[in-house]
Amino acid sequence: MKTKRLFTAFALMTALVLNANAQEHKTYSGVFGEGNSGTATYSYYEGVDGKRMFDGEYTFKIADKRNGGSTYTETGQYKDDKLEGLWTLTFNGSIYGKKVVAKITLNYKNGLLDGPMNYSGRETENGKTKTENYTFQFHEGYLTGKADKLALGYYIYSYQCDSDDIPIGIWTKIRNRKDVTFTECCVFENGKAIKGYTEQVATGDRSSINVDYYHNDLLKDITRLLKYPYNFKEMPIRSSVEGQRLRFKFRDGLKFGFLGIKGYVF
């Protein structure tokens, strides 16, 4: 019995030592990103398979001397290889002759967007300046909140969620142009899209459309903000969802993923 106890104690101590070693944190500082295009400093530990598990503070920077010079940075933190807390992405430089300044702040919880996402951008070309400012709300990876006549990208959107962050009512999108002839609508009940239709602006006449055909253009346009201006290929925080980058539409039970965004099925 004594031998058994000693063996059990030894096994427990060995497991604790192995676990402690597995959780030993290290710091990397050096070249990073696609094609070693930037530099990064981050904290990590090695998982059971030897994979680096990001854990702690993280910074990344690209200084591009081409096209007038540009600087892109991202700062935030990881917890057990998942994004956590406040992340800030900034860009300051030139793109095809335009002076561009952009800043995005995002909040994450357990790897998913949770809280406000704020975007502010300014483009200057030939003495003319265009500004964009947006705020979106997310809860556990889902877009929530509401908006009425939100001009974003090629469309003007209206959407709403209830107090439980479940989409309700009629979500609409309409082309952001003067000669638009119809509005696309999607009806939600209990968080699910049950039908879609187009409504003629002049007459109010409706024509049914397949809900599966109704693209997540709203999430696409939010994604566009996140990808601009470097297309964010260098961003390691998107690596886990890289395979889903072009998959904007899923059927029930599957989620859209980009930088932790789940989104809704239309």
Side-chain angles (χ1 to χ4, degrees):
M1 180 65 71
K2 183 177 181 180
T3 301
K4 185 176 181 180
R5 289 175 180 172
L6 288 174
F7 177 80
T8 302
F10 176 77
L12 179 59
M13 290 180 62
T14 301
L16 291 173
V17 171
L18 290 174
N19 184 63
N21 289 335
Q23 296 293 324
E24 180 183 357
H25 281 65
K26 302 178 182 180
T27 300
Y28 172 84
S29 184
V31 295
F32 200 68
E34 186 175 275
N36 292 330
S37 57
T39 58
T41 299
Y42 61 85
S43 177
Y44 71 96
Y45 64 86
E46 293 185 358
V48 292
D49 58 355
K51 176 186 175 182
R52 290 190 179 186
M53 305 291 287
F54 285 31
D55 194 71
E57 298 298 318
Y58 164 91
T59 62
F60 176 63
K61 180 178 181 179
I62 297 175
D64 190 344
K65 297 180 180 180
R66 297 171 298 176
N67 196 31
S70 301
T71 301
Y72 168 74
T73 65
E74 55 188 36
T75 60
Q77 63 181 355
Y78 283 88
K79 184 177 181 181
D80 291 327
D81 212 39
K82 295 180 180 180
L83 287 80
E84 189 72 22
L86 176 67
W87 278 73
T88 303
L89 318 177
T90 64
F91 178 85
N92 192 328
S94 299
I95 302 176
Y96 304 120
K98 299 179 182 179
K99 174 64 177 177
V100 179
V101 178
K103 180 179 180 180
I104 306 171
T105 58
L106 311 100
N107 291 272
Y108 287 89
K109 183 177 180 181
N110 197 32
L112 295 173
L113 283 169
D114 196 272
M117 166 193 161
N118 296 295
Y119 174 91
S120 62
R122 183 175 71 251
E123 290 185 4
T124 302
E125 183 179 23
N126 297 327
K128 296 182 179 181
T129 299
K130 173 186 175 182
T131 62
E132 289 184 296
N133 294 280
Y134 303 102
T135 297
F136 302 97
Q137 292 291 329
F138 291 88
H139 178 66
E140 296 181 351
Y142 289 95
L143 177 67
T144 184
K146 63 180 181 179
D148 183 38
K149 297 182 179 179
L150 169 69
L152 180 63
Y154 292 110
Y155 293 99
I156 297 175
Y157 298 97
S158 294
Y159 63 89
Q160 60 181 328
C161 296
D162 64 15
S163 58
D164 294 319
D165 303 313
I166 296 176
I168 57 173
I170 302 174
W171 289 32
T172 67
K173 67 177 182 181
I174 187 170
R175 282 279 183 181
N176 190 5
R177 46 192 287 184
K178 294 181 179 180
D179 60 345
V180 68
T181 59
F182 65 89
T183 303
E184 293 184 57
C185 306
C186 187
V187 181
F188 281 96
E189 284 188 6
N190 299 319
K192 292 185 178 181
I194 60 170
K195 66 178 180 180
Y197 60 87
T198 61
E199 182 173 283
Q200 296 299 316
V201 173
T203 65
D205 293 341
R206 296 181 178 183
S207 300
S208 297
I209 57 175
N210 191 329
V211 171
D212 286 336
Y213 181 75
Y214 193 103
H215 296 288
N216 272 328
D217 285 307
L218 174 56
L219 291 180
K220 284 185 185 180
D221 279 328
I222 295 175
T223 298
R224 176 184 60 82
L225 296 177
L226 293 171
K227 292 167 65 177
Y228 185 77
Y230 264 112
N231 202 28
F232 284 20
K233 292 180 179 178
E234 296 84 0
M235 295 174 64
I237 59 176
R238 72 174 283 192
S239 61
S240 63
V241 292
E242 175 65 26
Q244 301 180 33
R245 182 165 61 92
L246 297 177
R247 297 171 60 188
F248 295 110
K249 185 180 65 171
F250 293 114
R251 296 180 182 274
D252 289 346
L254 298 177
K255 304 295 187 292
F256 169 84
F258 183 87
L259 294 184
I261 297 176
K262 286 183 179 179
Y264 290 100
V265 178
F266 282 79

